[in-house]
Amino acid sequence: MLMANTNVYLTLLLLLSVLKWVQSTPHSSTNYVQDACSVTRYRALCINTLAPFSTTAETSPSKWARAGVSITIGETKKVTQYLMKVKNYRTMKGSYKIPLSDCIECLQDAIDQLQGSLGVLRKLNARNFYAQMGDITTWLSAVLTDHETCLDGFENPRGKQAKMVRNRVLRSSYFTSNALALVNKLATSGLDNTVA
């Protein structure tokens, strides 16, 4: 009986010490993404979309920047595909036909800029770091301009379809804003040892 009580006591003691250790650990995966997204304007969106990257990115600004740009590419592609469906099914009528075509062209340009940014982020090096950061921030700023140009055609939208187009493009611009903030954080913190 004494041996059984001792085993229960030791097991309980072990569980308590493990629980205390977990609580005292400075960063959990939730903390990593919250720390990374603290510099973004659309923090909740950032946390929700980048949370899956927590275990791999941890505290690496370069990995968070790559994750932010990658997520933005996916979102911008989805919005562009949606706009192309709207155009192909001719559900957008009247004065929105030309702005819709312009918007598709702007977002296709944005995808090219985003992909170029991701390509450079994957090849960062100490010798060219600041020039690379300058290129990436220029390209991501151009992506924001592409979104703004698109949104100009849907200012004060009338009709359900025009409002949906505006909302989707606007949400995509939030992703871009967050990616730019993550890149700016990388630019100010410098190249870390976990670039790979």
Side-chain angles (χ1 to χ4, degrees):
M1 179 85 163
L2 182 60
M3 184 68 148
N5 284 342
T6 305
N7 283 341
V8 169
Y9 177 75
L10 288 174
T11 304
L12 186 58
L13 190 61
L14 179 65
L15 284 173
L16 287 173
S17 64
V18 167
L19 181 61
K20 186 149 182 88
W21 177 79
V22 167
Q23 289 175 337
S24 68
T25 302
H27 280 293
S28 68
S29 60
T30 303
N31 289 345
Y32 290 137
V33 71
Q34 288 175 347
D35 287 349
C37 293
S38 67
V39 297
T40 63
R41 184 173 190 178
Y42 306 100
R43 199 166 291 134
L45 178 68
C46 180
I47 291 169
N48 289 334
T49 56
L50 295 183
F53 296 91
S54 288
T55 55
T56 55
E58 293 183 348
T59 61
S60 169
S62 61
K63 288 181 181 179
W64 284 115
R66 283 196 311 250
V69 172
S70 293
I71 291 291
T72 304
I73 289 170
E75 180 65 18
T76 307
K77 283 182 175 181
K78 281 194 284 188
V79 172
T80 304
Q81 290 168 351
Y82 167 74
L83 296 179
M84 290 167 71
K85 283 182 185 176
V86 168
K87 181 180 177 186
N88 291 338
Y89 291 126
R90 302 183 201 290
T91 56
M92 188 71 62
K93 297 185 177 158
S95 62
Y96 291 116
K97 282 183 179 181
I98 292 172
L100 181 63
S101 293
D102 291 345
C103 198
I104 291 168
E105 187 177 323
C106 285
L107 292 186
Q108 287 171 333
D109 179 61
I111 291 167
D112 291 341
Q113 301 279 358
L114 288 163
Q115 288 173 331
S117 298
L118 184 59
V120 172
L121 283 168
R122 288 179 174 153
K123 297 176 183 174
L124 292 176
N125 62 70
R127 186 174 8 168
N128 299 318
F129 179 73
Y130 293 105
Q132 290 171 317
M133 289 292 93
D135 289 343
I136 295 167
T137 55
T138 298
W139 296 332
L140 291 178
S141 296
V143 171
L144 282 174
T145 301
D146 286 331
H147 280 88
E148 289 170 14
T149 301
C150 176
L151 289 168
D152 286 346
F154 292 91
E155 197 170 343
N156 302 317
R158 292 179 311 275
K160 182 180 174 184
Q161 193 71 53
K163 287 177 184 174
M164 284 179 58
V165 166
R166 180 171 175 73
N167 289 340
R168 288 205 175 186
V169 173
L170 189 59
R171 184 171 188 268
S172 178
S173 74
Y174 297 165
F175 280 80
T176 305
S177 172
N178 285 347
L180 181 58
L182 293 168
V183 165
N184 284 333
K185 183 177 183 178
L186 169 60
T188 58
S189 64
L191 194 59
D192 52 51
N193 295 334
T194 56
V195 174

